[in-house]
Amino acid sequence: MTALLEVDGVTLTYKTPQTLVTATRRVSFQVGTSDRYVLLGPSGCGKSTLLKAVGGFMAPVEGEIRIKGRRVTGPGPDRMMVFQEFDQLLPWKTVFENVVFPLRVARGLSRAEAAEKARDYIDKVHLTRAIDSYPHTLSGGMKQRVAIARGMAMEPDILLMDEPFAALDALTRRRMQDELLQLWDDTRFTVLFVTHSIAEAIRIGSRILLLSPHPGQVKAEIEEVESVRQSEGGAARLERRIHDLLFSEEMAEADPDKAAAHG
Amino acid sequence: MGEPRIIVHDAATLAAVGREGAVERVLPLHERLWASAALRKAVLLLALGLIWEIYARQLDNPLLFPTLSETLSAMVERTRDGTLPLRAWTSLRVLFTGYGIGIALAAILTVLAISTRLGTDLLETLTAMFNPLPAIALLPLALIWFGLGSGSVVFVLIHSVLWAVALNTHSGFLGVSQTLRMVGRNYGLRGLPYVLRILVPAAFPSILTGLKIGWAFAWRTLIAAELVFGVSSGQGGLGWFIFENRNVLDIPAVFAGLLTVIVIGLVVENLVFRVIERRTVRRWGVHS
């Protein structure tokens, strides 16, 4: 059986006005159906760039990305993105219209079908109360919920989440993580999740890919992450081990991002 | 040391505290009335009108400065015999033609500008060249090219609308956030549907600003153009009305014409655009 998403020896580069930066070098991994696959690493490990490449927003200079065996050549609604930024909702549409819009234009559903599906998923993220509100009247957490509902309603092959909870306050973030897991329990969607928080990776993920920075390379892969929940203090031990793996070599290097790496 | 203690405040105590003072209280009537900007401005307008009337009566020279009541009665009279509405309509018809063509051209130019780099350069060069040039300065030339008809006025109007709208629309497009662009492309939108369904609504605050500036330019330019060359085939606009009545020294009618220009400008700027603004950018929470 081939994996749902195959990332095969992918090297990604991007240009700044002066230099050509290599974001990732020959990264390979495979995501299976219903995986909650987390890309984890410090800033500069190219995890977001990798996610954008899977989304089709940039092309690899080396290697290939395949989804269900098809080569990824551009963005498309089979890979719905949830971004970190709160401005990812269309401000001129209500919550309901925001969820309906891609169903109509990208999936070509009829008005009634789209409306039914949208209501269904808005209900799943507990926003039925705010269904006719415009995005600017919602809190950050609610906006992210709408974005998640919008992504899930499309029933994509894979949901791509780029640090969706990073801009939320700590309490809201905890709640959103729990809600995401609950949604996963309901529908078993496949998700590729980018984060720089070790704790978040352990809470959310079923598998974790550790990336090292400059340029991003695979450092380790962790399977069966859920097993830590069965043992007392298992999550804390895993967190410690991931931390050591990520920072063992750069202990001397002062990393300002470490302070932010606690979710 | 030991367990932390948690003291829970139950709902009954909270409710008792809440009852002690009302959370909201209605302000006295005069404070509420004075809070309305429309009312304050109406009072101001009334005072100015009163000053006008008193001063003009003391001056007692309707050839230089008619009273407010003379102006108003001239306005009523000219409205009743149909000249003023006809002249206003003539002006507005020319204006709409020029405004419409100007916006259409601006749309083509900006779509060209966002799809190719050369298009961007073209738009930037043209706006840099023509934006500082007052449209009315082109009127003498337009009269030679298009003759004494509404054609030359429309030409000048297009020029006054085009650059303001194109410039604002283009900078609005450039200001659309990277995230929104990616969202649009994620939906598989590209080409014209992408422009119309993502870029245009996202840039709408800037586009609306451009439309407002374009309207203001066009209205002023039109009246000025009509004053300069007046009438063609017996159909003059408001500018011509003002000019004509000055020539026969019917000064109250001149004032009535000026007042009509102001009223139409106010209605469009404060009613039409205000309503569009309330229905769009204010509702979306994106006004700057």
Side-chain angles (χ1 to χ4, degrees):
Chain A
M1 187 199 118
T2 58
L4 177 73
L5 170 73
E6 296 164 278
V7 173
D8 192 2
V10 164
T11 302
L12 293 165
T13 58
Y14 59 87
K15 275 186 199 144
T16 68
Q18 266 87 43
T19 51
L20 186 74
V21 181
T22 305
T24 66
R25 182 166 295 154
R26 296 202 187 104
V27 171
S28 299
F29 61 90
Q30 299 192 328
V31 179
T33 307
S34 292
D35 275 349
R36 300 190 308 275
Y37 203 93
V38 178
L39 302 179
L40 173 65
S43 314
C45 74
K47 54 194 188 302
S48 280
T49 318
L50 209 49
L51 196 77
K52 287 201 175 80
V54 174
F57 293 104
M58 58 192 300
V61 291
E62 188 185 353
E64 204 173 76
I65 298 168
R66 286 182 299 274
I67 188 129
K68 285 184 165 170
R70 283 175 285 118
R71 188 184 178 143
V72 168
T73 51
D78 55 337
R79 287 149 287 139
M80 286 297 284
M81 290 270 272
V82 177
F83 298 88
Q84 176 185 343
E85 290 82 4
F86 292 155
D87 71 344
Q88 63 185 303
L89 302 178
L90 310 180
W92 58 93
K93 291 185 182 293
T94 62
V95 168
F96 177 69
E97 289 163 345
N98 257 293
V99 181
V100 164
F101 181 60
L103 289 169
R104 301 266 297 146
V105 301
R107 295 252 332 247
L109 293 188
S110 74
R111 197 178 297 272
E113 280 175 301
E116 193 191 325
K117 210 176 266 288
R119 286 218 173 79
D120 199 24
Y121 279 95
I122 290 169
D123 191 46
K124 274 199 207 314
V125 297
H126 315 298
L127 278 178
T128 304
R129 214 164 23 88
I131 193 161
D132 288 320
S133 311
Y134 282 90
H136 75 105
T137 61
L138 306 178
S139 67
M142 288 161 98
K143 285 181 193 166
Q144 295 311 81
R145 281 204 202 107
V146 179
I148 292 169
R150 172 174 77 177
M152 287 181 55
M154 291 288 285
E155 288 161 3
D157 292 334
I158 187 165
L159 194 62
L160 308 176
M161 303 182 94
D162 188 4
E163 308 198 34
F165 308 142
L168 298 171
D169 65 90
L171 288 175
T172 313
R173 191 181 317 157
R174 278 294 285 262
R175 222 170 92 207
M176 297 289 294
Q177 290 164 349
D178 290 341
E179 283 181 17
L180 186 71
L181 288 175
Q182 241 165 44
L183 285 171
W184 186 85
D185 276 336
D186 282 356
T187 52
R188 305 270 159 166
F189 54 93
T190 313
V191 60
L192 183 61
F193 192 104
V194 162
T195 183
H196 60 245
S197 153
I198 302 175
E200 185 168 72
I202 295 171
R203 282 175 70 86
I204 296 281
S206 61
R207 298 168 67 197
I208 300 174
L209 187 77
L210 287 189
L211 293 162
S212 64
H214 309 299
Q217 277 170 308
V218 176
K219 185 135 206 174
E221 232 180 317
I222 302 161
E223 310 265 339
E224 290 167 49
V225 177
E226 282 127 325
S227 64
V228 299
R229 300 210 188 115
Q230 272 123 48
S231 62
E232 180 89 6
R237 269 201 306 282
L238 181 59
E239 193 171 335
R240 190 75 240 158
R241 287 214 35 210
I242 292 175
H243 185 271
D244 291 344
L245 269 171
L246 281 178
F247 296 108
S248 52
E249 284 146 41
E250 303 100 43
M251 283 311 248
E253 262 181 69
D255 189 346
D257 283 295
K258 226 153 78 178
H262 292 284
Chain B
M1 299 302 283
E3 284 280 295
R5 285 191 312 133
I6 300 175
I7 300 129
V8 177
H9 290 227
D10 60 5
T13 7
L14 287 176
V17 175
R19 268 196 301 276
E20 276 166 21
V23 182
E24 275 181 59
R25 192 164 52 87
V26 177
L27 289 172
L29 183 68
H30 62 93
E31 269 188 61
R32 270 181 293 155
L33 284 180
W34 200 241
S36 136
L39 188 84
R40 290 199 307 268
K41 282 180 187 161
V43 170
L44 219 56
L45 214 57
L46 221 64
L48 286 174
L50 208 65
I51 293 170
W52 175 359
E53 183 72 27
I54 292 169
Y55 175 73
R57 272 183 196 215
Q58 272 181 347
L59 198 66
D60 195 25
N61 187 349
L63 275 186
L64 275 185
F65 200 80
T67 63
L68 175 61
S69 45
E70 279 169 329
T71 304
L72 287 179
S73 72
M75 206 166 156
V76 169
E77 189 190 316
R78 297 307 182 100
T79 309
R80 209 171 274 162
D81 71 8
T83 35
L84 213 47
L86 186 72
R87 295 301 168 85
W89 175 237
T90 310
S91 287
L92 283 174
R93 216 176 39 210
V94 177
L95 184 77
F96 288 141
T97 316
Y99 196 58
I101 299 175
I103 289 170
L105 287 177
I108 294 170
L109 214 58
T110 35
V111 167
L112 215 67
I114 50 164
S115 32
T116 63
R117 194 154 59 177
L118 209 63
T120 315
D121 293 341
L122 178 72
L123 178 72
E124 279 172 2
T125 316
L126 286 180
T127 42
M129 258 167 62
F130 288 118
N131 213 23
L133 184 68
I136 193 77
L138 286 175
L139 190 62
L141 206 57
L143 287 175
I144 297 175
W145 289 346
F146 302 100
L148 281 169
S150 55
S152 21
V153 182
V154 168
F155 173 79
V156 173
L157 285 183
I158 290 172
H159 182 82
S160 74
V161 174
L162 175 56
W163 309 116
V165 175
L167 198 68
N168 278 284
T169 307
H170 185 59
S171 70
F173 282 173
L174 293 183
V176 176
S177 80
Q178 203 54 43
T179 320
L180 274 186
R181 288 166 190 273
M182 282 166 75
V183 167
R185 289 171 58 210
N186 197 181
Y187 294 172
L189 293 173
R190 43 183 61 234
L192 206 57
Y194 171 73
V195 174
L196 291 180
R197 312 195 78 153
I198 302 291
L199 288 187
V200 169
F204 196 72
S206 298
I207 296 177
L208 191 63
T209 307
L211 291 177
K212 280 202 300 207
I213 296 174
W215 167 268
F217 279 1
W219 184 234
R220 285 153 182 72
T221 305
L222 173 68
I223 301 299
E226 286 176 347
L227 278 174
V228 173
F229 93 108
V231 68
S232 68
S233 59
Q235 281 255 307
L238 273 176
W240 179 245
F241 177 86
I242 293 167
F243 189 70
E244 194 182 41
N245 281 297
R246 195 216 65 145
N247 283 351
V248 297
L249 290 179
D250 189 350
I251 305 303
V254 171
F255 270 69
L258 289 173
L259 215 56
T260 312
V261 172
I262 293 176
V263 167
I264 292 177
L266 274 182
V267 164
V268 174
E269 277 164 41
N270 289 317
L271 280 177
V272 177
F273 282 115
R274 192 67 64 81
V275 168
I276 296 176
E277 219 167 64
R278 209 172 39 229
R279 295 248 167 108
T280 57
V281 291
R282 279 187 196 278
R283 181 176 292 175
W284 306 338
V286 291
H287 56 283
S288 42

